[in-house]
């Protein structure tokens, strides 16, 4: 029997990076001072799709500042990454400090396909987090603004997210409204 090839982390992006840079940034509703954009996020910073090599650039260290990440092996990470990439509906986006070779912020846009609204698409913003030492540098705003515009560019009829009451004011900057609907959940595992 031939040995099973073990996938190695590499720089293949989860999605085509050009879609981030081709967004119409003039449609952004948040205020950026100084001005930054998806193509120019700041000195020594790059905004781009996640790649598997980011597992060695502190991706989980940043995610761990949002919630419990658990123990994830490189194999599990690559398997989930490949699943997301193949589906074409996951836009896991990161900001890298290229001087440090470290991920300093991340956010995800997930596209959900519906039969309703004439087989429409709905966007969901998930897992927005900026590393502690980089907060207040507009990176949270940059990621949220970019993924909101991206959902529009991908023809989503609406975009939603869940957040704690203390973060409502942050998301209002991008045009989000507080829904009258309740967010309900059941937790099966931690
Ligand atoms: C919330 C978070 C993503 C914001 O990112 P950030 O890079 O620190 O914020 P930015 O520098 O992009 O934006 C700063 C602006 O947002 C405002 N802001 C930042 N955090 C805020 C919050 N929690 N609530 C309301 N406003 C907030 C600031 O007042 C500032 O406003 P201004 O542009 O009008 O001056 C970041 O604090 C974070 O990672 N928090 C922990 C994880 C988390 O709670 N994520 C959200 C999950 S729903």
């Amino acid at each position: 029997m031939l040995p099973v090839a073990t996938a190695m982390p590499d720089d293949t992006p989860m999605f085509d990076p050009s879609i981030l840079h081709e967004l119409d940034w003039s449609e952004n509703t948040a205020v950026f001072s100084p001005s930054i954009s998806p193509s120019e996020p700041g000195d020594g910073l790059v905004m781009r799709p996640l790649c598997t090599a980011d597992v060695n650039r502190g991706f989980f260290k940043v995610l761990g500042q949002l919630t419990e990440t658990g123990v994830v092996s490189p194999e599990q990470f690559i398997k989930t990454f490949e699943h997301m990439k193949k589906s074409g509906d996951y836009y896991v986006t990161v900001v890298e400090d290229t001087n440090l070779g470290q991920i300093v912020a991340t956010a995800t846009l997930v596209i959900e396909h519906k039969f309703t609204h004439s087989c429409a698409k709905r966007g969901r913003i998930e897992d927005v987090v900026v590393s502690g030492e980089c907060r207040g540098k507009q990176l949270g705003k940059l990621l949220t603004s970019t993924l909101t515009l991206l959902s529009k560019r991908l023809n989503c009829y609406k975009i939603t997210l869940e957040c704690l009451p203390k973060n409502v004011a942050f998301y209002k900057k991008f045009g989000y409204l507080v829904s009258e609907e309740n967010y309900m959940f059941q937790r099966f595992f931690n």
Side-chain angles (χ1 to χ4, degrees):
M1 201 166 87
L2 290 172
V4 178
T6 310
M8 295 294 288
D10 66 25
D11 287 326
T12 307
M14 179 175 283
F15 59 92
D16 181 357
S18 64
I19 199 165
L20 297 177
H21 306 297
E22 288 165 4
L23 292 170
D24 183 357
W25 194 238
S26 69
E27 288 186 24
N28 152 61
T29 58
V31 179
F32 287 89
S33 177
S35 173
I36 57 170
S37 69
S39 305
E40 294 182 343
D43 278 353
L45 300 173
V46 169
M47 188 169 73
R48 58 169 176 76
L50 180 74
C51 63
T52 52
D54 292 333
V55 74
N56 298 321
R57 297 187 183 114
F59 176 63
F60 278 95
K61 200 173 148 203
V62 177
L63 267 189
Q65 294 182 42
L66 175 69
T67 189
E68 177 64 47
T69 60
V71 179
V72 180
S73 69
E75 291 74 22
Q76 282 176 307
F77 174 70
I78 290 172
K79 192 174 167 202
T80 301
F81 178 97
E82 290 303 338
H83 175 87
M84 291 177 170
K85 182 172 185 290
K86 198 172 159 198
S87 80
D89 291 321
Y90 287 81
Y91 295 84
V92 184
T93 305
V94 295
V95 177
E96 181 186 356
D97 180 324
T98 53
N99 294 321
L100 299 174
Q102 289 291 302
I103 302 305
V104 293
T106 182
T108 295
L109 168 68
V110 184
I111 307 297
E112 179 185 319
H113 296 260
K114 318 276 292 182
F115 284 121
T116 53
H117 301 275
S118 310
C119 289
K121 293 188 286 186
R122 166 192 182 160
R124 291 179 185 271
I125 298 270
E126 296 278 353
D127 301 338
V128 181
V129 57
V130 177
S131 71
E133 54 277 23
C134 290
R135 287 187 194 159
K137 293 184 178 175
Q138 309 194 94
L139 298 181
K141 284 196 298 189
L142 181 66
L143 282 163
T144 308
S145 225
T146 299
L147 296 186
T148 304
L149 290 179
L150 179 56
S151 70
K152 196 172 166 193
R153 156 78 181 74
L154 295 171
N155 298 319
C156 290
Y157 83 103
K158 75 171 178 183
I159 182 153
T160 63
L161 59 85
E162 290 109 38
C163 73
L164 292 172
K166 70 179 170 92
N167 290 329
V168 163
F170 178 73
Y171 291 110
K172 281 188 173 174
K173 293 179 189 298
F174 317 97
Y176 291 83
L177 306 170
V178 176
S179 169
E180 286 180 3
E181 291 176 26
N182 283 310
Y183 163 55
M184 298 178 72
F185 75 100
Q186 279 189 60
R187 190 181 286 273
F188 297 113
F189 305 102
N190 276 332

